[in-house]
Amino acid sequence: MPAETGGFPRYPGTWQRALLPMCLLAGLENGSNHGYALAKKLEERGFSPLKGATLYPALGKLEEAGYIRGAWKEGRGAPGRKVYALTASGRERLRTLRMLWDSFQSTVSRPHEQ
C-alpha cells in the first residue's frame, strides 16, 4: 500500500476522483453497504479520507445512472442510513470499467518505444 509522503495523499487526488466511481461499484460487488462504510473501506486501501461532498454526489450519479440502487434503512437507536446495492447494469458497468482499466494499466506499464 502506498505510504503517506510529505503530507501528500497516498494516491494522487486526481487518480482518486477519476477512479472513485469504479471503486464504489467494486465496493458493492459482494453485497450492499452504506456510504460511510464504503468510504472507510477505500481509506483502508489507500484512498485519502473521502468527504461527504465528494462521496455522496458520486453515489448519487451512480444511482441516477442505474448502476446502484439505494434504500433507506431504519437505524436501531441511531438515524437511518441509505444502503446501496449493485444492480445488474452496475455489474456490467464494473466489468467494462475493469477491462478498460486493465488495458490502461498495460499501456502505462509497457515501456515506450522511441
Side-chain angles (χ1 to χ4, degrees):
M1 177 183 300
E4 287 272 340
T5 56
F8 293 103
R10 294 179 180 166
Y11 295 119
T14 53
W15 293 7
Q16 292 181 66
R17 285 186 296 281
L19 295 171
L20 182 58
M22 182 172 66
C23 291
L24 290 170
L25 292 174
L28 293 170
E29 189 172 26
N30 293 321
S32 60
N33 220 330
H34 55 87
Y36 181 78
L38 289 167
K40 286 298 171 191
K41 283 183 182 181
L42 289 175
E43 192 176 334
E44 289 169 6
R45 293 187 166 120
F47 268 63
S48 295
L50 286 171
K51 294 180 181 171
T54 300
L55 174 65
Y56 294 104
L59 288 166
K61 287 177 184 176
L62 291 171
E63 187 174 15
E64 189 175 298
Y67 299 140
I68 63 175
R69 171 181 65 254
W72 285 98
K73 300 283 182 177
E74 291 297 320
R76 288 182 259 185
R81 294 181 171 174
K82 193 168 188 180
V83 176
Y84 299 93
L86 202 55
T87 64
S89 177
R91 286 188 190 286
E92 181 60 28
R93 180 67 178 156
L94 179 57
R95 187 184 73 73
T96 299
L97 289 172
R98 282 183 169 152
M99 285 184 354
L100 290 168
W101 177 248
D102 288 345
S103 175
F104 181 77
Q105 281 184 296
S106 176
T107 299
V108 171
S109 299
R110 189 175 41 231
H112 294 279
E113 296 178 13
Q114 294 187 3

